[in-house]
Amino acid sequence: ETGVTQTPRHLVMGMTNKKSLKCEQHLGHNAMYWYKQSAKKPLELMFVYSLEERVENNSVPSRFSPECPNSSHLFLHLHTLQPEDSALYLCASSQEGLPDRVNIQYFGAGTRLSVL
Amino acid sequence: GQNIDQPTEMTATEGAIVQINCTYQTSGFNGLFWYQQHAGEAPTFLSYNVLDGLEEKGRFSSFLSRSKGYSYLLLKELQMKDSASYLCAFMDSNYQLIWGAGTKLIIKP
């Protein structure tokens, strides 16, 4: 148990569906991240929220829309996805800004997304 | 530019020692991380090196040479539960993690 919970664990959706991924962290951290993990590829950073402000958006298509209502919750809203978006989507959290502290990211187990 | 490289897959025997290498290139460096990821599970933090040298934590050790852009993760007394993917990542000048594709480690009895 890492203190970061993602739901659902598995999701199958059609290209015209709208769905949302949820992430909740119980670690008291002030930063949250969405990553995409495809087979045999490096983790791709999608979005970063620090103190509930989006600070990073790595050229992610607009069919992915993040939402961070508070420092413990992060959502990824999905609509009109493509088959190539099928992947494992990982959420992570960390504590930023503490001097002399290593910014370790703690991950959830991910949502395995299949787009048909 | 930035890049990071690690072997795709390695095989080792239970009870033995294995070394997983990671090489990287970057103009800005704020440390190197190793994570373990079992199939279907969350990546979990193993180690962090920011200075040259060896950091030991039980059966696992991690080494860094900043001048060579090189790190390795050393696993001793291998157990079947060590079968997993091992992810190497460095933190760049913007404090973003740049990840390798991971090394799948297969442990055989």
Side-chain angles (χ1 to χ4, degrees):
Chain A
E1 184 60 51
T2 63
V4 181
T5 304
Q6 290 188 243
T7 55
R9 291 296 310 275
H10 301 273
L11 179 63
V12 179
M13 58 187 291
M15 288 191 283
T16 57
N17 291 159
K18 289 184 182 181
K19 297 285 184 184
S20 296
L21 309 185
K22 180 182 175 182
C23 177
E24 183 174 359
Q25 59 97 358
H26 310 275
L27 301 168
H29 288 164
N30 58 11
M32 296 187 77
Y33 311 77
W34 279 117
Y35 285 93
K36 177 182 179 182
Q37 187 176 36
S38 303
K40 299 185 180 179
K41 289 187 177 180
L43 289 178
E44 298 174 45
L45 180 64
M46 300 175 72
F47 301 104
V48 180
Y49 278 82
S50 178
L51 298 172
E52 299 155 44
E53 297 277 331
R54 190 192 304 181
V55 296
E56 193 68 46
N57 176 355
N58 282 350
S59 303
V60 178
S62 59
R63 57 186 184 268
F64 295 91
S65 174
E67 179 190 0
C68 187
N70 55 61
S71 60
S72 299
H73 293 86
L74 185 65
F75 295 90
L76 188 62
H77 303 300
L78 316 171
H79 65 96
T80 58
L81 293 191
Q82 304 297 310
E84 60 264 29
D85 297 323
S86 297
L88 182 68
Y89 288 84
L90 291 167
C91 173
S93 71
S94 70
Q95 185 64 27
E96 291 188 338
L98 294 178
D100 301 325
R101 276 278 299 269
V102 178
N103 184 355
I104 298 171
Q105 293 183 17
Y106 294 83
F107 285 84
T111 296
R112 174 69 61 187
L113 174 67
S114 297
V115 182
L116 304 179
Chain B
Q2 296 177 323
N3 64 74
I4 182 166
D5 192 40
Q6 55 183 127
T8 303
E9 187 174 298
M10 299 181 70
T11 302
T13 305
E14 190 177 16
I17 299 173
V18 71
Q19 177 175 309
I20 303 174
N21 295 325
C22 174
T23 56
Y24 64 90
Q25 286 183 313
T26 180
S27 55
F29 179 78
N30 282 297
L32 189 126
F33 294 78
W34 284 97
Y35 279 76
Q36 180 191 59
Q37 186 179 22
H38 286 100
E41 297 184 15
T44 54
F45 170 76
L46 288 177
S47 68
Y48 170 75
N49 296 67
V50 67
L51 300 176
D52 290 353
L54 188 67
E55 297 273 347
E56 296 187 73
K57 269 190 196 178
R59 294 189 299 114
F60 291 10
S61 302
S62 57
F63 172 84
L64 176 67
S65 168
R66 288 172 297 170
S67 62
K68 295 182 180 177
Y70 169 67
S71 174
Y72 67 73
L73 182 69
L74 191 71
L75 292 75
K76 302 177 185 175
E77 300 168 18
L78 285 170
Q79 301 175 10
M80 297 304 293
K81 67 178 182 179
D82 297 329
S83 292
S85 287
Y86 291 85
L87 311 179
C88 172
F90 69 83
M91 186 166 276
D92 69 9
S93 54
N94 295 319
Y95 295 93
Q96 271 200 26
L97 285 176
I98 309 300
W99 295 85
T103 298
K104 182 178 180 180
L105 178 62
I106 299 167
I107 310 297
K108 295 186 173 178

